[in-house]
Amino acid sequence: MIRVRHRSSCPLRWADLDLLGHVNNVRYADYLRVGRDDLLRASGIDPDPTSLPVRRHELTFLAPLMFSREPVVVESWFADRSERGAVVEHEILGGGSDPVVHLRARTFLGDAAPGSAPVVVRSAADRHYALQVRAGDLDVTGAASDVAFVEFFQEARIGFFDRIMRDGLERGKVRWVVAQTDIDYLRPVLNRPAAYDCFTRLARVGNKSLTVESVIRDETGADHATARVVLVVFDPVANRSVEPPPGYRALLETFVAPS
């Protein structure tokens, strides 16, 4: 299969930035959607998510992306394609003269098989986040968009770490950035009065990283989406990953929980 790269551009907004002045990890999924929809249209495929829904995202963050007046470049191409599904790969490059690849990603659409099982996270009160869907989270299907799920899991993850910090980890002692995000989309999440349950667990602590797993679940016990996110300790001055301060890793390990 000939893999022709389709190039799209997406302007940055000040609201795209996080506390470090980097583009927030959620916004990358927004840029990918621009590139994906452009690729599908250029290939004669209707990007309507009702006919070709997202099944899985795999996002690998390679280098921080700072604000620029120049739009970012999204290169997208088909790694696999059939009548009922597709696997799209992407690279996001900085705007203007920036040749750096800031993110690589893979998106599974329609009947494309992701090839890996969603994570398993049990319900537990100390891991709970009440997810209230907003009207702005919805796409043309009337359900939450694939981009919104990245934000849902970020909010639940922040809430989870807020609880850990209250239990002994000093707020702001280290800076964490997202290195990898894998999301499996299982069932639609709708805008409704009742909140969904999102449960998060700390699955692993490495020398410079940690792995967080989450699930969005309804009151029947059905899972709607799961995520596995790897974060690394980041030094904004040296602009690289580093080891946490002495004792920090050992303290984090006490919060590692079974699935």
Side-chain angles (χ1 to χ4, degrees):
M1 181 178 184
I2 300 176
R3 300 183 178 181
V4 179
R5 295 192 176 209
H6 181 82
R7 291 173 64 91
S8 305
S9 63
C10 185
L12 298 177
R13 301 172 180 171
W14 282 110
D16 293 346
L17 305 184
D18 63 16
L19 293 176
L20 293 176
H22 304 158
V23 169
N24 186 280
N25 70 98
V26 174
R27 299 276 59 84
Y28 284 89
D30 206 3
Y31 307 156
L32 292 179
R33 183 166 186 174
V34 171
R36 181 177 77 242
D37 287 357
D38 282 354
L39 172 67
L40 293 175
R41 291 191 191 95
S43 304
I45 302 172
D46 186 353
D48 185 346
T50 59
S51 57
L52 207 59
V54 174
R55 300 300 186 193
R56 179 178 170 88
H57 273 321
E58 298 172 355
L59 312 180
T60 304
F61 300 85
L62 302 175
L65 179 58
M66 310 300 288
F67 181 82
S68 170
R69 292 295 182 187
E70 297 291 335
V72 297
V73 174
V74 185
E75 294 191 349
S76 307
W77 63 96
F78 291 107
D80 191 22
R81 180 179 171 185
S82 68
E83 292 184 357
R84 301 179 63 183
V87 180
V88 179
E89 295 188 350
H90 314 264
E91 288 185 349
I92 291 181
L93 297 84
S97 59
D98 181 1
V100 175
V101 176
H102 295 270
L103 177 123
R104 288 194 176 98
R106 178 176 293 179
T107 302
F108 297 80
L109 301 170
D111 289 347
S116 60
V119 302
V120 177
V121 179
R122 67 179 176 85
S123 301
D126 60 342
R127 310 181 194 178
H128 181 259
Y129 173 78
L131 169 61
Q132 188 65 61
V133 180
R134 301 174 181 173
D137 298 327
L138 310 183
D139 61 18
V140 295
T141 69
S145 72
D146 61 284
V147 177
F149 280 84
V150 185
E151 185 169 350
F152 295 160
F153 286 119
Q154 173 179 261
E155 290 301 306
R157 187 170 67 247
I158 291 172
F160 174 76
F161 280 108
D162 277 347
R163 290 191 293 275
I164 287 180
M165 288 172 181
R166 287 199 298 268
D167 288 336
L169 294 183
E170 182 182 337
R171 183 184 298 273
K173 192 172 184 179
V174 299
R175 298 282 190 178
W176 296 91
V177 295
V178 177
Q180 180 74 33
T181 296
D182 298 334
I183 297 179
D184 287 286
Y185 300 86
L186 308 175
R187 294 177 177 86
V189 164
L190 306 176
N191 184 12
R192 63 180 198 175
Y196 287 87
D197 298 311
C198 188
F199 298 97
T200 299
R201 80 179 185 110
L202 182 56
R204 179 182 177 275
V205 178
N207 290 331
K208 297 181 182 180
S209 68
L210 55 83
T211 302
V212 178
E213 296 178 341
S214 302
V215 61
I216 295 173
R217 187 169 288 151
D218 66 23
E219 63 279 359
T220 71
D223 292 352
H224 289 251
T226 65
R228 176 179 287 114
V229 177
V230 178
L231 300 103
V232 298
V233 184
F234 186 78
D235 183 340
V237 177
N239 200 35
R240 61 182 176 85
S241 62
V242 295
E243 292 189 6
Y248 199 91
R249 181 175 181 273
L251 185 55
L252 275 174
E253 287 179 333
T254 64
F255 294 97
V256 174
S259 61

